[in-house]
Amino acid sequence: VQLQASGGGLVQAGGSLRLSCAASGSIFRIDAMAWYRQAPGKQRELVVDITSNGYTNYADSVKGRFTISRDNAKNTVYLQMNDLKPEDTAAYYCTADAATSVVAPMIAVWGQGTLVTVSS
């Protein structure tokens, strides 16, 4: 299973971006999906996660500004980011708990980061 993230870029404060992350390969099942971010010199942190049933858990710092969604038919998760702030600048990573077959264990798969830069 591979994850391909896209949608990062440079935006002014107050602007919006939409990140996408598509899973591909031999996929039997995907459970939770999530977005993490890592700012320069800081630890990677959870931004938001979403279960296969659509339950979400947001970091306090993004509540009310970011919205996660997923299309299970496309094995894709999205992150709509509104009212972006300079402190949102980071590399954003998607992850998914996935299994390749009915007998395979669920494993955490990570995509490559996509860089979001918010200028003040």
Side-chain angles (χ1 to χ4, degrees):
V1 179
Q2 299 84 38
L3 296 178
Q4 180 69 45
S6 61
L10 173 64
V11 63
Q12 289 188 330
S16 299
L17 283 174
R18 188 187 192 216
L19 306 183
S20 299
C21 178
S24 62
S26 180
I27 300 170
F28 172 72
R29 192 178 92 204
I30 295 178
D31 284 349
M33 304 183 81
W35 289 96
Y36 285 73
R37 66 186 181 186
Q38 187 167 17
K42 295 187 176 182
Q43 289 188 330
R44 191 172 296 187
E45 63 175 0
L46 175 67
V47 177
V48 58
D49 59 27
I50 183 168
T51 69
S52 57
N53 292 327
Y55 291 102
T56 58
N57 174 45
Y58 289 89
D60 288 342
S61 59
V62 306
K63 283 181 181 177
R65 301 188 297 121
F66 290 12
T67 302
I68 191 171
S69 61
R70 63 190 286 173
D71 185 333
N72 290 331
K74 295 181 179 180
N75 292 322
T76 300
V77 64
Y78 305 95
L79 184 64
Q80 177 66 44
M81 304 184 295
N82 298 328
D83 189 24
L84 282 159
K85 303 177 180 181
E87 51 264 41
D88 295 318
T89 294
Y92 284 71
Y93 299 88
C94 58
T95 183
D97 293 333
T100 57
S101 72
V102 65
V103 296
M106 298 293 289
I107 60 172
V109 182
W110 288 83
Q112 89 291 359
T114 185
L115 186 60
V116 172
T117 304
V118 184
S119 62
S120 58

